[in-house]
Amino acid sequence: MTVLEIPAGSLFGLRNLPYGVFQPKDSAPRVGVRVGDWVVDLAATLGDDVFAQSTLNAFMAQGRARWTEVRRQVTELVQDGVAETAVFAVDEVTMHLPVAIADYVDFYASENHATNLGRLFRPDSEPLMPNWKHLPVGYHGRSSTVIVSGTDVVRPCGQRKPPGQSVPDFGPSRRLDIEAEMGFIVGVPTKLGETIAPDRFAEHVFGAVVVNDWSARDIQAWEYVPLGPFLGKSFATSISPWVVPLDALEAARIDTPTQDPEPLPYLRGEEKWGLDIDLVVEWNGHIVSRPPYSQMYWSPAQMLAHTTINGAAASTGDLFASGTISGREKNERGAFIELTWGGKEPVTIGDQTRTFLEDGDEISISATAPGVNGTRIGFGEVRSRILPATGGMQE
Ligand code: MN
């Protein structure tokens, strides 16, 4: 037996304990929990087959009582000692997509982001549409192109129509962008016709990940009217490999900013589900932004309530993301179209400047939050590199 040494100040101490799907060399993917710089093999230590699988879905479907029980068991296990054969160094295993994604929905919950994008996309009208403060605006994304951190992203091709050009042409996106977001994963499903009130959020939602919602702004700007984003978003959405359970976020829970006008009753709840999470965006290793989740207008509990209020079923593995997180300050903007103001104000990264992504660029988005007893917990990062457009898509 070995008692795991956790470095002082680790973002992966006993107050965090995120779950992921890992694969040691020469054996099958399975569920593990991260402790310090180690992964503990849960199939080997807890003897439940739900952990011998290549996704978290079966465990997530077991529900909150079971999640709480496993968290207690893991805490004891780590304190008492774990069989050496069930412990792996985190940098010696491959991390997989942790969840078989069911439906994927993306919201637009940052008032700063929605206002900035409104100004950029529709300069001659009110930046916020009339519905924005009455409901969390969202769209259905493409679950089959949700990918795990470390997976390269190929520059998409599509229709582009720059201003001043009367008809569209076709080719690789010239305005490839990121969106720094948090994503929430449903564990306990509902039946068709049921709804999930905001105060039932924690009964259904298992945990959270960091999301990079890649966005081809030129394709998006031309296609999005009137039904919303489609091919400008659906080519890739990246998530971090470690799912931080809601139980680890107790100390991060805060009120959302004041919501005025007051939302309709189905969007109101007693529980606080604003979250004090700090994100960091790195472009080729240089920090370019620090988006604060604490300023998000709509809470994830409101997003889930809105998603199900028409009776739409929620499924184990549903992923819903917050939308780009942008703070009030320029260096808190979570998308490059905002950070560079539509490409007019390049950012400096080392000895180079950038407006949108170039081939070979690498983006890392990471996040941390307060843990209990003055600790800090980490989500890890979502990191990807841009590859050139392929597939015989000539200009
Ligand atoms: Mn988005």
Side-chain angles (χ1 to χ4, degrees), residues 11 72 111 143 193 386:
L11 295 170
R72 190 190 59 73
E111 185 173 0
S143 52
I386 302 300

Side-chain angles (χ1 to χ4, degrees), residues 104-108 113 139 178-181 211-215 217 220 229 233 237 321-325:
Y104 165 49
V105 168
D106 194 23
F107 284 91
Y108 196 49
H113 173 71
Y139 69 93
I178 68 155
E179 294 193 335
E181 310 191 9
V211 174
N212 187 346
D213 175 28
W214 303 96
S215 299
R217 300 301 181 192
Q220 181 188 357
K233 300 274 195 176
T237 305
S322 61
T324 306
I325 303 158

